[in-house]
Amino acid sequence: MERLEVAFAALAIARRAEPMAEPTYLLELACAERAAGSADQLVAVSCSDCSIRLHHGHTLRLLGRCSGHGGPVCGVRFAPASGSLLFSGSADGTARCWDARSPGSAAVQVFRGCSAHAFCSFDVSPSGAVLCAGTERLEEDSFLVFWDARMAGSGAGGGAPLGVYSESHSDDVTQVRFHPRDPDRLASGSTDGLVNVFDIRRGSEEEALLGTCNSESSVSRVCWAGRGYGQLLCLSHDEGVYLWDTARLDTEEPLTLLSSPRAREAAPIDGGGPLDYFIGGAWLEAEEKLLVLGGTHRGDLYLLDCGPGGLKQVCALRGGHSATVRCFHWDPEGGALLTGGEDAQLLLWKPGAVELSSDKRSSLKSAPALRHKARARDIGSGKREKK
């Protein structure tokens, strides 16, 4: 742990992406796998203007943008073992595949669900064969929609779903996350408070549902963690933190390793004041540590070690962002951290780095209309009783 603290404490801003003419919130990050022997890497960033920006991973130079979604983008993922194919899901009811070598061109594939579906979560299996999107609640139902990523379909024709799950959640499906190593295992989280684990090889939805964990709160983020990725981290919209052992799904042993509904207030951070929010989690496989990233609305970031005993601050990162940070990506190979947020800034942090330009930009927060468009979903009204 001491070695990890030293490494994180050395993180400093190495690069800032050049500001865009029109400020926009940066909502999600995805990084392509590096080719063998190459240091080059593509970074995709979903933005609140419904576009996806492609950046060079080392310089953060803007390479282009993918435009075509008619609603907010709810997820971006590169195809595993390929830096040239990028998938995205959107509230416009489509998932799309883009050729990252030709940013600015139309999507090469379009996958559609029911015309009434609005997607609010999206992921790609580690094999790259299956896409999954979670929908907003539609009348009395919420859905998990699956497609074969290899299905030939483009333009208006699109790819039809492989199948749909409709019984396991009763409200917006805010997260779908495939297991990093098992392409048939999927976790889903919802504003109904439930986190479900599925084996999608099984025939019916009832057979596929392996187990359910209940956070008793609206689910914001889900992250696979632990040795062999046998645990699930859940972050709630009211800033609670939960950790479950999925290896116990078929046993009578308790699943819960950590339940901290007031984790934001309890997390010890420098300066004494509480965190304002949690951004997400990442399992550091080599170190066997679960990292949670939190922040303040001033733009300060805090890296926290998460375990059954709760949260412990590892280090603080200041002087980078000037507003709420919405997304991050940890690169274990380079020991680098990418962050993006509501100040329209994309930052690359590296150990011992010296920023090439020290001209810190002020907040590029957009107009109130943009804030309303990109804000977290209001979960206070219409919340349904948990199953």
Side-chain angles (χ1 to χ4, degrees):
M1 185 63 186
E2 183 177 350
R3 183 179 65 85
L4 190 63
E5 289 178 351
V6 171
F8 281 138
L11 288 173
I13 300 170
R15 300 274 184 176
R16 296 176 190 261
E18 288 296 317
M20 300 295 293
E22 293 294 329
T24 179
Y25 290 178
L26 309 185
L27 304 177
E28 274 211 47
L29 283 168
C31 292
E33 293 184 16
R34 291 187 179 90
S38 174
D40 290 339
Q41 187 178 40
L42 278 178
V43 175
V45 186
S46 65
C47 305
S48 57
D49 62 1
C50 305
S51 72
I52 302 164
R53 296 178 186 172
L54 289 170
H55 293 262
H56 188 280
H58 177 65
T59 65
L60 298 190
R61 178 171 59 90
L62 180 66
L63 302 176
R65 67 170 68 194
C66 301
S67 300
H69 279 302
V73 178
C74 62
V76 285
R77 296 286 185 275
F78 282 97
S82 171
S84 60
L85 292 180
L86 176 69
F87 292 94
S88 60
S90 169
D92 66 7
T94 69
R96 300 179 186 232
C97 178
W98 313 85
D99 186 345
R101 297 167 297 186
S102 303
S105 59
V108 296
Q109 288 176 290
V110 180
F111 304 88
R112 304 180 187 277
C114 167
S115 60
H117 287 163
F119 300 138
C120 52
S121 54
F122 176 77
D123 202 12
V124 179
S125 71
S127 67
V130 179
L131 312 179
C132 179
T135 74
E136 295 180 2
R137 185 180 66 189
L138 179 63
E139 296 180 350
E140 296 301 316
D141 297 307
S142 301
F143 303 89
L144 297 174
V145 185
F146 298 90
W147 299 270
D148 185 339
R150 303 158 295 186
M151 183 181 297
S154 61
L162 282 172
V164 174
Y165 291 169
S166 61
E167 300 295 330
S168 301
H169 287 294
S170 60
D171 217 329
D172 299 351
V173 182
T174 52
Q175 287 278 276
V176 288
R177 287 290 178 266
F178 280 98
H179 190 281
R181 293 190 179 150
D182 185 345
D184 297 314
R185 185 155 294 207
L186 176 77
S188 63
S190 167
T191 54
D192 63 11
L194 304 181
V195 175
N196 291 322
V197 180
F198 299 94
D199 181 350
I200 64 173
R201 291 173 300 181
R202 303 188 181 187
S204 67
E205 179 177 355
E206 183 178 2
E207 293 173 326
L209 182 60
L210 301 179
T212 296
C213 307
N214 195 340
S215 71
E216 299 290 343
S217 184
S218 175
V219 175
S220 170
R221 297 280 182 176
V222 171
C223 170
W224 289 96
R227 293 183 182 179
Y229 295 95
Q231 299 174 359
L232 272 174
L233 171 72
C234 169
L235 305 178
S236 66
H237 281 112
D238 57 4
E239 315 306 343
V241 176
Y242 308 86
L243 187 63
W244 297 296
D245 187 348
T246 63
R248 300 175 181 177
L249 288 173
D250 293 328
T251 73
E252 297 299 321
E253 297 182 70
L255 300 176
T256 302
L257 301 174
L258 172 66
S259 178
S260 182
R262 303 176 67 86
R264 179 185 68 84
E265 301 171 11
I269 63 171
D270 292 345
L275 289 167
D276 290 326
Y277 57 93
F278 293 112
I279 303 162
W283 173 247
L284 310 187
E285 191 167 11
E287 295 82 5
E288 294 192 342
K289 293 291 181 182
L290 176 56
L291 179 73
V292 170
L293 187 64
T296 70
H297 296 308
R298 300 183 303 274
D300 296 335
L301 294 173
Y302 295 88
L303 298 176
L304 306 161
D305 175 45
C306 179
L311 298 172
K312 176 186 176 183
Q313 179 178 319
V314 178
C315 73
L317 302 176
R318 300 186 177 92
H321 290 279
S322 56
T324 301
V325 175
R326 298 289 293 268
C327 53
F328 80 100
H329 175 82
W330 171 251
D331 175 15
E333 292 185 29
L337 180 71
L338 275 167
T339 57
E342 294 184 6
D343 55 5
Q345 296 196 73
L346 176 64
L347 303 184
L348 175 64
W349 308 73
K350 287 188 172 182
V354 177
E355 189 176 356
L356 294 183
S357 173
S358 59
D359 181 22
K360 182 182 176 183
R361 298 185 290 122
S362 60
S363 171
L364 293 180
K365 274 195 173 182
S366 311
L370 180 57
R371 169 176 288 280
H372 177 74
K373 181 178 180 181
R375 67 182 175 86
R377 187 178 312 280
D378 180 2
I379 63 171
S381 60
K383 186 174 177 182
R384 300 176 64 182
E385 184 179 355
K386 301 178 181 65
K387 291 182 178 179

